[in-house]
Amino acid sequence: MYHFVIVGVLVILMTILTYMGIDAVGLARHMNPVSASAQAVFVDQMWHWEIWVISFLFSLIVVPLVYSLIFFRQKKGEMKDGEHVEGNTQLEIAWTIMPLIIVVIFAYFGAYTLGEERRVDPNAMVINVKAQQFTWTFEYPQYGFFSSELHLPVDQQVVLKMESADVIHSFWVPEFRLKQDVVPGRTTEYRITPDLEGSYKVRCAELCGTSHAYMENPLVVTSQADYDAWVQEQIAIAAASKTPEGQGKVLATSNGCVGCHSADGTKLTGPTWFDLFGSEVPLADGTTTTADEAYLAESIKDPNVKVVEGFPANVMPAFSLTDEEISNIIAYIKTLK
Ligand code: CUA
């Protein structure tokens, strides 16, 4: 009995110390990265309680183990066998009932949290999201423009309707805590209420190909006023894009071209479009070709016919666009000098 009391007290002390240790490195309460959505609060709360249980279970194993090693050692000259134990009904009942209660409590917490994550605000704003190797595209259907940046107003629920153009991706913003797969052939939903202004990143959390690690787009959470200003700016840009070059720029964004082909000379997954038109392009087979209309059109429709030196084949998917769309994209490429 005396040993049980001491071990019991030590287990409680060890639980508190373990919890404090985990908390000190920012993994219990004040989490890193910060939480930036109303939904994150419930996830963090549940995580916090799990850390308490983890600390307790860790102590429940380690304390009796170390205590036994120290106090129940074989003494010098002690040769007889240990006491034979047949079983302990009380102990067996305890270690069946206790985990059962803990699991039931956490099942309740889990269901409650899931319910809160899915709570629907009927005024939620809809944004369409397209995932493709290796970029995200955001469409604001109520205004009719596309963007490679996701801008959201603070404290308003948005529902992202997400589709994939190729393989399985996963929409992930660590600060929002929630993650949702984007699966070809169906539309998945992601509901979020950002509650902290700032700049974050939309990441992809599903290995989707060679440049999976670079599949990230900017996410900006701003005040309603700044958001409205950004929307007006985007509408103006969209209006200015009625020209072939402008149309081409819109197509390059909505089809995700800009995710791999920079407009400023930066080397991304694919060759840059800067100063491309009319230049001599070295090819993987050792020859060169002139970047004229015919070459650019061919490379959009059938990217593996002429592969640029230094870039792997079979990375860019073939795009089936109309002749007009292709000539608009080429018109846009011509402006990049
Ligand atoms: Cu898309 Cu990983």
Side-chain angles (χ1 to χ4, degrees), residues 131-136 166-170 203-209 211-213 215:
Q132 71 185 85
Q133 291 167 318
F134 296 95
T135 193
W136 301 93
D166 37 45
V167 299
I168 302 176
H169 303 270
S170 183
R203 293 165 200 276
C204 178
E206 185 74 57
L207 183 61
C208 55
S211 292
H212 152 74
M215 185 168 166

Side-chain angles (χ1 to χ4, degrees), residues 142-200:
Q142 67 272 53
Y143 307 115
F145 65 78
F146 291 88
S147 171
S148 58
E149 292 186 6
L150 179 60
H151 282 239
L152 300 174
V154 75
D155 293 330
Q156 197 202 317
Q157 191 180 85
V158 290
V159 51
L160 306 181
K161 306 233 180 226
M162 310 195 290
E163 285 177 19
S164 168
D166 37 45
V167 299
I168 302 176
H169 303 270
S170 183
F171 183 96
W172 185 38
V173 178
E175 290 82 358
F176 287 171
R177 301 290 189 264
L178 304 185
K179 198 188 267 180
Q180 173 64 53
D181 274 4
V182 187
V183 184
R186 65 169 99 144
T187 306
T188 47
E189 277 191 2
Y190 183 98
R191 253 172 220 286
I192 205 77
T193 314
D195 65 358
L196 184 68
E197 290 179 31
S199 294
Y200 313 102

